[in-house]
Amino acid sequence: MTKLAIRLSLALKSRWEEVREHSSKDRGDISITTVIIWVAAVAGALLIAGTIAVVVGKYNLKLSGT
């Protein structure tokens, strides 16, 4: 079990170094289009959730059968 743990540790360390090396080379900026799309998606999701909450709140008595 100890040999396996050592091999796993070395493999993870090696892989981590590769990831760090690659990430330092590939540091692209987020385009403004991506930001606009994310903002629109979040706003749409909040609008839908708010609409559902209002409808459920308004018709809560009818939905519960009372």
Side-chain angles (χ1 to χ4, degrees):
M1 188 66 177
T2 306
K3 288 182 182 180
L4 179 62
I6 292 171
R7 290 174 67 191
L8 181 61
S9 173
L10 290 174
L12 287 174
K13 183 179 177 188
S14 172
R15 179 67 180 142
W16 178 250
E17 288 173 358
E18 289 176 17
V19 169
R20 283 185 54 203
E21 181 180 326
H22 178 70
S23 67
S24 65
K25 292 179 184 176
D26 188 23
R27 302 284 304 199
D29 292 334
I30 296 177
S31 70
I32 190 67
T33 308
T34 305
V35 173
I36 292 170
I37 290 170
W38 272 104
V39 169
V42 170
L46 290 174
L47 181 66
I48 291 170
T51 302
I52 291 171
V54 168
V55 169
V56 168
K58 185 175 181 180
Y59 295 106
N60 194 22
L61 292 177
K62 292 182 182 180
L63 290 174
S64 65
T66 337

